[in-house]
Amino acid sequence: MKLDFKNAIRNPDALSVLLEDGSEAYGICQDWLPGKWKQLAGCGPCTAANILFYLSRRDPALAPLCSVADAVTRQLTRAQSVEFVCDIWKDLAPGPKGVNTVGMFTKGALAFARRRGVELAVAELLIPGAGEGPRTLSACADFIEEGLKNDCPV
């Protein structure tokens, strides 16, 4: 199977975070989080933050998802992005094995969105457990392609 990378989110610049020196980073980095545990286990909350940040900039009705962003530009600074992830952490706190299931990730992200007064629809691609057989590469690629076609980070 040949992978086709023609699909992408429509506005990758919407993920830019302003750094202290005036440069930009693309996406929120878990290494910015305070404390070793948050840096080690923060991939789930940071992933949720990146998805929710993008959605908040893509659709004005979803702006409440990222209330720490600048009210006019919807831009985040590095400090604001850390504040944002730490707020998400309240609903999506990693366990001893991190955020290690799709259900855990989805439940936490949706709880955060509801706390912000936003109801989101979710598409999940569940990965079967041992003995149930793996997902095909094609099924995974189709899921990712569908999300990107809908301008939603996956």
Side-chain angles (χ1 to χ4, degrees), residues 42-124:
C43 55
C46 278
T47 299
N50 282 307
I51 292 170
L52 297 171
F53 177 44
Y54 185 83
L55 294 175
S56 78
R57 292 191 80 192
R58 183 192 77 186
D59 182 348
L62 301 178
L65 289 171
C66 189
S67 62
V68 297
D70 180 273
V72 175
T73 65
R74 305 297 313 141
Q75 183 68 54
L76 279 180
T77 64
R78 178 177 163 160
Q80 290 167 324
S81 72
V82 169
E83 182 182 344
F84 184 45
V85 175
C86 289
D87 193 22
I88 290 170
W89 197 286
K90 296 171 188 171
D91 298 294
L92 187 56
K97 295 181 181 182
V99 177
N100 62 334
T101 68
V102 173
M104 183 179 188
F105 179 85
T106 301
K107 181 180 176 185
L110 290 176
F112 173 80
R114 278 191 299 277
R115 193 161 48 88
R116 293 283 179 208
V118 176
E119 288 295 327
L120 294 174
V122 174
E124 298 175 323

